[in-house]
Amino acid sequence: RSELLRLAANRSRAFEEALSSIPSSPPFGGSEPSWKPFRIPRILHQTWKTDQVPAKFAHHLQSWRRLHPDWHFEFWDDHSSRELMAEKYPKHLRHYDRMSGIKRADIARLVALSVYGGVYADIDVEATRSLEPLLVAAEASDAAVLLGEENFVHSVLLEHKSEPLVSNAVMIGAAGHAFWEEVLQEIFSKSWCGEDPVQCTGPRIVDQVSWEHLRRNSGCRKKGCVLRLPYDYFSPNIALWNAANMVKECRPRERPSRGSLNWLDPHLQKGSLKENKPPHPEKPSMVNDACRSLSRALEWPTALHSNRTYA
């Protein structure tokens, strides 16, 4: 895996070098020639159960339209998603129909990107600046698929992982790229995966296939490569609804966990964290780093944003 990690890091570095040379507001469509077979179209895909999206997401939806006025927007509800599935993947339709709504939503975004290409974003994700520079940089660095990694605080404290995991909340790519087909085939190759959408149709299976694709495709130029971007591009925010569980992971093991977490626990807020010392020495440094970042993000919601945050 170390060789794959090194290759993934090199690809990201080449992409970031291309990105650094692009103006923050390049002209629509960028400057790269459009003949590249893996050029990413300027289309935004979003999904919901119906076309009646809850009002609490209106600001998030508007942010994408405001920052991408020349893009094409595709909204997929359950009905139109099933129609697309029936048209493009009829052999999997029965399997698709037996799945839960969350699993079908996971598949709908993959099918939309496979068929049309562009950008997929969850409706609770807010765009903070135009993604046009990212798409121009992708073309300049022969990248055809951009996957954002999950916030490392979530990966370490909730998933107990030492390596980054991919998120499927924002995905970008060219139509017809082999990666999308590989993920869909992996999903539908299993007659029964279990109840968990995260593992069966969501980010964990996308993460798994991304490493398998990288192992089989070390070059980029002919087919366009798959990139994994650090979490601060698309996932710098902490899942506040799950913060209590993360705080539990940051408490010393010997400390009772009964009663209110007061998630601004004195142990997290004072002393060791404020002085940049480990919260408790028995935990790995990676966990301590995640706990410090969690404490900062709970105090200041944009603490983990950076100059390369786009959503």
Side-chain angles (χ1 to χ4, degrees):
R1 179 57 74 94
S2 61
E3 184 60 34
L4 287 179
L5 289 168
R6 195 159 40 245
L7 178 57
N10 288 340
R11 287 185 176 181
S12 296
R13 194 174 301 115
F15 169 81
E16 291 184 335
E17 287 174 1
L19 182 61
S20 68
S21 66
I22 294 168
S24 58
S25 299
F28 171 69
S31 57
E32 283 293 294
S34 60
W35 51 261
K36 285 193 174 183
F38 46 81
R39 184 178 186 273
I40 300 169
R42 276 57 176 174
I43 306 172
L44 178 76
H45 303 275
Q46 294 183 294
T47 66
W48 185 246
K49 293 176 286 188
T50 70
D51 60 2
Q52 302 299 309
V53 179
K56 64 181 179 179
F57 299 125
H59 175 75
H60 303 80
L61 296 175
Q62 184 56 35
S63 69
W64 292 94
R65 287 156 177 75
R66 174 173 50 83
L67 291 168
H68 306 89
D70 298 314
W71 285 29
H72 179 72
F73 293 87
E74 286 284 354
F75 188 85
W76 302 92
D77 60 16
D78 286 355
H79 178 72
S80 57
S81 293
R82 188 184 186 281
E83 285 188 331
L84 182 64
M85 189 74 194
E87 178 186 353
K88 301 299 182 180
Y89 292 91
K91 65 180 179 179
H92 297 312
L93 188 60
R94 286 187 63 191
H95 193 170
Y96 175 85
D97 283 340
R98 292 197 300 267
M99 291 180 172
S100 68
I102 295 176
K103 288 182 179 180
R104 293 197 303 269
D106 285 336
I107 290 170
R109 69 192 69 182
L110 293 167
V111 172
L113 289 171
S114 178
V115 174
Y116 296 106
V119 177
Y120 169 82
D122 279 350
I123 62 170
D124 62 350
V125 173
E126 179 182 355
T128 57
R129 53 175 153 162
S130 171
L131 270 61
E132 188 66 36
L134 294 184
L135 273 55
V136 176
E139 292 158 17
S141 58
D142 294 321
V145 175
L146 306 180
L147 303 173
E149 292 176 339
E150 180 60 78
N151 192 303
F152 91 103
V153 174
H154 299 163
S155 298
V156 172
L157 299 182
L158 296 176
E159 303 281 348
H160 306 111
K161 300 293 186 182
S162 59
E163 294 178 0
L165 295 167
V166 156
S167 167
N168 68 342
V170 177
M171 298 188 291
I172 302 172
H177 194 274
F179 175 73
W180 307 124
E181 187 68 25
E182 289 165 11
V183 179
L184 289 165
Q185 289 303 317
E186 182 66 22
I187 291 170
F188 288 113
S189 68
K190 298 177 174 64
S191 58
W192 174 246
C193 171
E195 299 289 350
D196 185 8
V198 173
Q199 297 291 339
C200 296
T201 56
R204 297 303 157 261
I205 201 163
V206 175
D207 183 82
Q208 170 196 325
V209 176
S210 74
W211 289 119
E212 293 170 356
H213 182 91
L214 183 61
R215 187 179 292 109
R216 293 192 301 268
N217 300 274
S218 58
C220 290
R221 196 162 292 276
K222 288 186 177 180
K223 300 179 181 179
C225 58
V226 175
L227 259 63
R228 297 168 61 106
L229 299 179
Y231 76 91
D232 52 329
Y233 275 86
F234 307 130
S235 301
N237 297 318
I238 294 295
L240 294 178
W241 61 271
N242 215 356
N245 287 322
M246 289 184 273
V247 169
K248 285 181 182 178
E249 294 296 320
C250 292
R251 286 182 145 169
R253 291 301 180 195
E254 67 274 10
R255 180 167 179 162
S257 59
R258 298 188 301 274
S260 172
L261 287 173
N262 289 327
W263 50 355
L264 299 179
D265 189 321
H267 188 79
L268 291 174
Q269 284 197 321
K270 299 178 182 177
S272 57
L273 288 182
K274 293 294 184 180
E275 295 168 10
N276 209 29
K277 297 177 183 176
H280 28 83
E282 79 277 10
K283 285 187 177 293
S285 61
M286 179 178 57
V287 175
N288 284 327
D289 289 345
C291 290
R292 290 193 191 96
S293 294
L294 173 64
S295 179
R296 289 168 52 215
L298 291 177
E299 186 174 352
W300 188 255
T302 60
L304 305 185
H305 289 223
S306 75
N307 60 4
R308 59 187 186 183
T309 294
Y310 285 80

